[in-house]
Amino acid sequence: MDSTRVTEQPTSCERPQPGVDPADPRGALVHTSTPVRAPGMGALPVQGRSGGDATVPVSTAHTSPGTSEPGTSTPFGKGKDTVSDPASEHSQPGAEQTAERDTPRPRPSSEGIPVQPADEQDRPAPNPEGHERRSGQTLPPGRPTPMRRDGDRLRFVGAATRRIARGIDLDEIVMGLCRATVPTFSDAILVYLRDPLPVGDERPTGPLVLRLRRTDRIPAERDTENGFLPAAQPEPNELDTVGAELCEVRPGSALAEVLRGVRPVFTDAPAARAALPELLGDGGEFAVPEGQRAILAPLRGRRRVIGAALFLRRPERLAFEPDDLLVAAQLATHSALGIDKAVLYGREAYIADELQRTMLPETLPRPTGVRLASRYLPAAETARVGGDWYDAIPLPGSRVALVVGDVMGHSMTSAAIMGQLRTTAQTLAGLDLPPQEVLHHLDEQAQRLGVDRMATCLYAVYDPVSHRITIANAGHPPPVLLHLGGRAEVLRVPAGAPIGVGGVDFEAVELDAPAGATLLLYTDGLVESRLRDVWTGIEQLREKLAAVAQLTGPDHPPPLEALCDEVLDMLGPGDRDDDIALLAARFDGIAPSDVAYWFLEPEDAAPGRARRLARRALARWGLEELSDSVELLVSEVVTNAVRYASRPVTVRLLRTDVLRCEVGDDVPQLPRLRQARATDEGGRGLYLVNRLARRWGATRLSTGKVVWFELNRS
């Protein structure tokens, strides 16, 4: 053999195998030496040895008796491969002789199934010295091969379980089981799961019902280009017809006994054969190949059976061996535990997501003189729960409080703290406290919740009558004001310390809020990420707002919903490290000509004067048809106010889409609606307001209260 040179040509054809992940360490290449299908060849092509290898050259000359063919291995791993090194094409003269004298280095073992003979006549025969050698027969290309060594099964189980363990949700785990077993271990697989799947320790109610969750099988047809051979066409009643959508496992039935046994069984066993009609439907057992070519493996989670897997091989492929039951048991165990994990994770993610979203406002209010829009985006699917929140709270006097905050961390605890702080902010806003006082009380509340409860918050109050906004900040990114002409301005608001630090005074500033301007409040997830710092992100946000405003022209502000979408488009693929809360407010304001405001002394003549002033205002606005109702309601509310007030009573009429009347006094007690008796002289004023007004209410202020009502203008 030393004088004979073996000429090797790279004649194999490689193509990615359908249904196999190219990144799978078992390999995703199908090697065939010729595009012509040999007689008697199986439906499955020969699998590649090692994932990621280059094209394996196949020798075109005869091999010596002591060497094995390329792409094959001898039993028990004692054979040696003769494979040309890609670097040998550039070796120096004489390197071929040196390489022939040296012992070839063994190649790394594949995690998949090594290429082996399909039957006993292809197995190497031992020589008198006890060593094995090849019989000279070559393996037909495309022939499916079994696992004949324990090492093969261990490598396959290791690769398959790693693939199954990579899944997080239910679909990924089931798909990992299917892709890991087809076509390496079986030609087809059917995965049945309990419907519905039990979660944790909960006890399922009702009968045990299995639903066909997923099937996977070798395609019936394959591409014939570049030597990729077609598979055998299955019979119409073969594997393609296997599988019913739903099956109910009746207590005491054959299927129930097989599932209770937990261990995988061959379907030619009497108990399993009797269970197939129940699992696959009437006549389904006839589609299962005869002999040991099908394995029924129960899927048992931590506490109960949650499904079953059926592994099948076509008749032209070698049957399963008894040791393959151990492989099926390992696959079923790892898959069932993974499914249990995925169901628990899905339930926790659902609860956390619902907790987060129920603590955010479902709909935004529609206060007078301002339009609102909002967005909320979680950080990622693996960390959906955060502490970002936003809110819009109507205040007395047609004002509105705009709030945005961010609790440190991403967990259920952060979401719970966010809910507590948001509730506290709503309560404080109802007391009509100044913004700096609201932040001060939020800081005290955070300290009561724990020493490590930190949050940032920005609280703003907009008055549509005065066209002013008052803002206080607690360590939050500053808001951006987009003016009507297209100029975007980052408002200079004192940063302050985060909520939860304690012992820090907060400062509020009052700024102009011209009509047509848009105020954008946001959390740091919008402007800060691993790729950019917060001030760079704020500058990009300002430029983005200015660019969007240029599209609509200087006289028309951009629509709020479209503006929010454009702002979120500035996020790149690496900018979703944190959840994002966004609140946009368009200031329309109330024109001075639509406001009438008076001070009335708390005397008996005040109700009559209030009626006359209201009548004149309605005549000026062209709303004389509302005079009778407005005069009656104003008279009743002012009468209740002057009865207990010690300071001047305020009366204000606002003409917007509705007519709103507000009466304020210095008495903190809120009026309540009650049913007056026939003998009572009073107590009917609020009853009339409740019957005639579109809406009405009373709000306590730091200086007293405001009673208001609204009437439709038409």
Side-chain angles (χ1 to χ4, degrees):
M1 185 62 185
D2 294 340
S3 61
T4 304
R5 292 190 59 184
V6 179
T7 304
E8 297 182 348
Q9 299 294 335
T11 58
S12 63
C13 301
E14 298 180 349
R15 284 177 61 89
Q17 185 171 347
V20 179
D21 186 3
D24 193 346
R26 295 185 293 104
L29 300 178
V30 177
H31 301 266
T32 59
S33 60
T34 173
V36 181
R37 181 181 178 186
M41 181 178 59
L44 299 179
V46 179
Q47 301 299 306
R49 286 180 54 85
S50 177
D53 289 346
T55 304
V56 180
V58 180
S59 175
T60 58
H62 297 287
T63 59
S64 62
T67 59
S68 60
E69 297 177 358
T72 63
S73 62
T74 59
F76 311 108
K78 296 182 180 179
K80 300 178 181 179
D81 296 335
T82 304
V83 181
S84 62
D85 188 355
S88 63
E89 298 177 1
H90 306 286
S91 59
Q92 299 295 329
E96 295 86 350
Q97 289 80 0
T98 303
E100 292 174 358
R101 290 193 299 268
D102 296 336
T103 302
R105 297 179 60 185
R107 298 184 59 185
S109 298
S110 171
E111 294 182 343
I113 302 176
V115 178
Q116 294 183 358
D119 48 34
E120 295 296 331
Q121 66 179 0
D122 292 332
R123 298 188 64 182
N127 60 12
E129 289 78 14
H131 299 288
E132 294 178 344
R133 63 179 182 176
R134 293 292 177 185
S135 60
Q137 296 181 356
T138 60
L139 181 68
R143 185 69 173 268
T145 58
M147 289 182 287
R148 294 188 179 276
R149 296 178 299 177
D150 293 338
D152 299 337
R153 292 184 173 89
L154 289 177
R155 284 190 292 272
F156 165 71
V157 170
T161 52
R162 285 193 298 271
R163 185 164 191 169
I164 294 170
R166 285 200 299 263
I168 296 179
D169 59 16
L170 181 61
D171 292 333
E172 290 179 352
I173 293 175
V174 176
M175 181 182 295
L177 171 63
C178 295
R179 296 294 175 86
T181 55
V182 178
T184 307
F185 183 69
S186 62
D187 294 334
I189 182 174
L190 286 79
V191 180
Y192 288 84
L193 294 181
R194 194 164 187 159
D195 186 29
L197 277 169
V199 180
D201 297 334
E202 69 179 15
R203 293 183 176 273
T205 58
L208 173 58
V209 177
L210 299 181
R211 178 182 294 274
L212 183 60
R213 182 75 185 193
R214 184 177 178 88
T215 63
D216 202 356
R217 63 197 68 197
I218 298 176
E221 296 182 357
R222 298 184 178 182
D223 189 7
T224 58
E225 296 181 2
N226 299 324
F228 199 56
L229 298 180
Q233 293 288 345
E235 297 297 330
N237 62 345
E238 207 180 349
L239 301 183
D240 289 332
T241 61
V242 174
E245 184 68 21
L246 282 175
C247 72
E248 180 178 345
V249 182
R250 297 181 298 273
S253 63
L255 180 58
E257 294 300 324
V258 172
L259 296 180
R260 186 180 304 173
V262 178
R263 297 182 180 276
V265 294
F266 290 117
T267 56
D268 60 350
R273 202 69 189 178
L276 287 180
E278 187 176 354
L279 179 66
L280 305 179
D282 296 336
E285 71 277 11
F286 299 107
V288 178
E290 297 290 339
Q292 294 183 350
R293 289 184 169 83
I295 296 177
L296 179 59
L299 301 178
R300 182 174 181 83
R302 292 174 176 83
R303 294 184 177 273
R304 59 184 65 85
V305 173
I306 60 174
L310 184 63
F311 305 93
L312 303 107
R313 285 184 179 177
R314 290 194 175 111
E316 64 268 17
R317 187 171 178 176
L318 290 179
F320 288 109
E321 298 179 358
D323 288 343
D324 290 329
L325 292 176
L326 300 178
V327 177
Q330 288 293 322
L331 296 176
T333 300
H334 285 277
S335 300
L337 294 178
I339 291 171
D340 256 3
K341 173 192 67 177
V343 172
L344 286 173
Y345 173 80
R347 173 62 64 88
E348 291 179 358
Y350 170 78
I351 294 174
D353 186 62
E354 287 298 311
L355 174 64
Q356 171 80 16
R357 296 192 177 276
T358 52
M359 290 184 178
L360 294 174
E362 294 184 2
T363 58
L364 292 174
R366 297 181 179 180
T368 303
V370 62
R371 286 174 286 174
L372 303 172
S374 63
R375 293 291 187 275
Y376 173 79
L377 292 179
E381 291 296 330
T382 56
R384 298 182 62 88
V385 185
D388 292 18
W389 91 90
Y390 62 90
D391 212 343
I393 309 169
L395 299 178
S398 300
R399 296 171 300 153
V400 59
L402 307 174
V403 191
V404 64
D406 183 6
V407 177
M408 306 291 184
H410 293 85
S411 63
M412 296 278 288
T413 303
S414 300
I417 295 174
M418 178 269 289
Q420 291 175 305
L421 293 180
R422 177 173 177 250
T423 303
T424 303
Q426 289 180 329
T427 304
L428 296 172
L431 299 177
D432 198 30
L433 298 178
Q436 65 272 21
E437 291 295 327
V438 172
L439 295 183
H440 175 74
H441 289 292
L442 283 176
D443 180 68
E444 292 181 341
Q445 175 68 10
Q447 294 180 62
R448 285 191 291 266
L449 295 176
V451 294
D452 57 345
R453 308 311 187 195
M454 304 285 291
T456 63
C457 183
L458 191 143
Y459 189 92
V461 176
Y462 170 66
D463 189 345
V465 177
S466 63
H467 298 272
R468 303 281 288 178
I469 185 169
T470 306
I471 306 176
N473 191 7
H476 204 78
V480 180
L481 184 64
L482 179 62
H483 293 270
L484 184 59
R487 180 174 63 92
E489 175 188 7
V490 180
L491 298 182
R492 297 188 178 185
V493 180
I499 292 174
V501 174
V504 179
D505 291 333
F506 299 98
E507 182 181 354
V509 294
E510 187 173 355
L511 304 171
D512 289 331
T518 303
L519 184 68
L520 196 70
L521 308 179
Y522 53 90
T523 56
D524 57 354
L526 180 65
V527 295
E528 185 180 19
S529 69
R530 291 173 295 177
L531 304 179
R532 58 182 177 179
D533 61 89
V534 60
W535 290 108
T536 301
I538 291 175
E539 181 61 23
Q540 292 179 0
L541 174 61
R542 189 192 65 81
E543 295 175 354
K544 182 70 173 180
L545 292 175
V548 174
Q550 295 298 327
L551 299 177
T552 57
D555 299 330
H556 301 281
L560 277 182
E561 298 294 338
L563 180 64
C564 292
D565 294 336
E566 290 292 335
V567 168
L568 294 180
D569 286 342
M570 66 178 284
L571 297 173
D575 292 345
R576 292 292 301 279
D577 303 328
D578 196 1
D579 44 347
I580 299 171
L582 179 66
L583 180 63
R586 172 72 43 76
F587 300 143
D588 294 333
I590 300 176
S593 59
D594 293 331
V595 180
Y597 194 86
W598 307 287
F599 287 92
L600 301 178
E601 292 295 330
E603 54 188 12
D604 295 340
R609 185 183 177 192
R611 289 194 297 268
R612 291 191 299 271
L613 293 174
R615 187 186 311 113
R616 294 174 186 174
L618 295 177
R620 185 170 66 251
W621 292 336
L623 300 176
E624 292 87 351
E625 66 275 8
L626 299 178
S627 295
D628 294 339
S629 299
V630 171
E631 289 183 33
L632 176 60
L633 298 182
V634 167
S635 178
E636 293 294 336
V637 175
V638 172
T639 300
N640 290 337
V642 301
R643 180 176 299 176
Y644 306 102
S646 58
R647 296 181 180 179
V649 176
T650 60
V651 180
R652 185 167 70 171
L653 288 180
L654 302 174
R655 182 186 62 169
T656 56
D657 53 342
V658 297
L659 182 66
R660 181 183 177 96
C661 177
E662 299 172 352
V663 178
D665 57 62
D666 60 345
V667 181
Q669 287 79 16
L670 299 180
R672 60 184 181 89
L673 181 65
R674 66 184 180 89
Q675 187 70 33
R677 292 174 297 184
T679 58
D680 291 342
E681 295 183 359
R684 296 176 177 82
L686 289 181
Y687 179 78
L688 294 175
V689 174
N690 184 62
R691 292 298 301 269
L692 297 179
R694 173 178 174 266
R695 289 196 313 158
W696 77 278
T699 306
R700 182 179 285 110
L701 305 178
S702 58
T703 58
K705 69 174 180 296
V706 169
V707 180
W708 56 271
F709 63 86
E710 294 178 351
L711 294 173
N712 293 323
R713 293 177 54 179
S714 58

